[in-house]
């Protein structure tokens, strides 16, 4: 990114609206990619375990796990095009999703593919990939990734200038998983977009929810500035 998270937090909130909506922020504002890598590894391992209950899936799950290893490595190195498309030596996330979509690993590859498209500025393709991901909600890691998947879809819509659709996804993401890692992130994003759309009362409610329900979150640190700005306009 051209601008660090620290700089974003110290900007005048007015600039955050104009500039912040012009670029996506990943599912959390600090260590987001690292968390996805860790959670992804958990889901791959857990998914691999449960796939053995269905013998016809086991060989495919093994192949998908092996393919995911190198693609995840390239993703961690910020080689997003390579992670997405692969090369002669390994399959990228898109191929893994297409060929092993009925395995937990292939399903997760849809989410990774969406992230790669998002980083590469291919926003409609990102939306398509995120929508192909089937939420896994029987464990905490899966629930968090499902919330992130929804919120990242909102990022892609906002990048396309489709703010009304983007804010709906932010609100869904905030409601999907009531946790400190995702809910306040998407509540504040929803508030910013609602401000931009002129939905000031709604934006105020979302900012106040960040302040009141998630006071220990990073987003709550400067939320009073956002609240004060909206109150002056009402």
């Amino acid at each position: 990114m051209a601008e660090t998270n620290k700089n974003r937090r110290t900007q005048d909130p007015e600039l955050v609206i104009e500039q912040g909506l012009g670029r996506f922020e990943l599912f959390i504002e600090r260590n987001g990619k690292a968390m996805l890598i860790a959670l992804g590894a958990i889901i791959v391992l857990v998914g691999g375990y449960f796939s053995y209950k269905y013998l016809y899936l086991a060989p495919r799950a093994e192949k998908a796990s092996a393919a995911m290893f190198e693609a995840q490595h390239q993703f961690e190195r910020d080689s997003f095009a390579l992670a997405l498309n692969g090369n002669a030596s390994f399959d990228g996330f898109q191929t893994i999703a297409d060929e092993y979509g009925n395995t937990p690993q292939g399903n997760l590859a849809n989410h990774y593919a969406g992230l790669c498209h998002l980083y590469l500025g291919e926003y409609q393709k990102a939306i398509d990939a995120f929508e192909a991901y089937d939420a896994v909600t029987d464990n905490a890691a899966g629930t968090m990734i499902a919330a992130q998947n929804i919120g990242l879809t909102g990022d892609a819509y906002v990048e396309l200038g489709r703010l009304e659709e983007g804010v709906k996804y932010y609100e869904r993401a905030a409601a999907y998983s009531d946790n400190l890692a995702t809910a306040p992130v998407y509540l504040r994003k929803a508030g910013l977009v609602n401000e931009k759309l002129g939905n000031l009362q709604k934006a105020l409610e979302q900012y106040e929810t960040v302040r009141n329900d998630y006071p220990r979150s990073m987003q709550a640190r400067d939320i009073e500035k956002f609240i004060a700005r909206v109150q002056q306009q009402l």
Side-chain angles (χ1 to χ4, degrees):
M1 296 285 180
E3 188 176 18
T4 66
N5 292 328
K6 180 178 179 182
N7 289 338
R8 284 204 295 270
R9 291 198 298 273
T10 57
Q11 282 185 343
D12 185 324
E14 293 285 355
L15 295 179
V16 173
I17 294 179
E18 296 300 325
Q19 299 177 10
L21 294 180
R23 59 176 179 273
F24 74 90
E25 296 173 302
L26 292 180
F27 47 86
I28 60 174
E29 295 182 5
R30 184 185 298 171
N31 298 324
K33 183 159 66 70
M35 178 177 288
L36 176 63
I37 293 167
L39 294 177
I42 293 171
I43 287 186
V44 168
L45 291 173
V46 172
Y49 169 78
F50 283 108
S51 70
Y52 279 94
K53 293 194 303 183
Y54 308 93
L55 295 180
Y56 76 99
L57 278 180
R60 291 176 58 77
E62 288 182 354
K63 291 180 181 178
S65 291
M68 285 284 283
F69 180 82
E70 183 59 32
Q72 286 174 312
H73 175 64
Q74 297 300 329
F75 180 86
E76 187 175 358
R77 296 178 61 233
D78 294 345
S79 298
F80 302 116
L82 187 57
L84 176 66
N85 299 310
N87 58 24
S89 300
F90 72 96
D91 291 332
F93 291 126
Q94 191 60 64
T95 298
I96 297 169
D98 291 342
E99 294 190 2
Y100 305 102
N102 64 338
T103 69
Q105 297 85 350
N107 182 42
L108 184 62
N110 283 308
H111 185 69
Y112 272 109
L115 270 168
C116 291
H117 284 302
L118 201 56
Y119 270 115
L120 294 169
E122 300 167 346
Y123 303 121
Q124 186 56 56
K125 290 182 179 179
I127 292 170
D128 295 340
F130 289 137
E131 290 183 345
Y133 174 75
D134 290 329
V136 178
T137 59
D138 58 356
N139 59 75
T143 299
M144 186 172 293
I145 288 183
Q148 294 161 359
N149 194 77
I150 296 168
L152 290 166
T153 304
D155 284 333
Y157 275 118
V158 168
E159 289 291 342
L160 289 171
R162 297 163 65 176
L163 302 187
E164 292 86 355
E165 292 170 90
V167 75
K168 291 178 183 178
Y169 277 88
Y170 288 155
E171 291 168 352
R172 281 180 55 195
Y176 192 89
S177 180
D178 183 18
N179 66 76
L180 198 66
T182 57
V185 172
Y186 293 120
L187 278 168
R188 195 175 75 165
K189 285 187 176 186
L192 285 168
V193 178
N194 273 318
E195 254 192 282
K196 187 73 172 178
L197 292 171
N199 303 327
L200 299 180
Q201 187 59 50
K202 187 67 173 178
L204 179 61
E205 293 172 1
Q206 288 162 339
Y207 293 151
E208 289 178 338
T209 300
V210 172
R211 179 190 64 189
N212 298 334
D213 294 359
Y214 306 98
R216 298 176 60 188
S217 68
M218 184 171 61
Q219 291 71 34
R221 294 177 184 178
D222 60 353
I223 202 67
E224 291 293 348
K225 297 178 182 178
F226 295 79
I227 292 173
R229 182 180 64 241
V230 175
Q231 287 176 331
Q232 290 176 356
Q233 299 177 69
L234 289 172

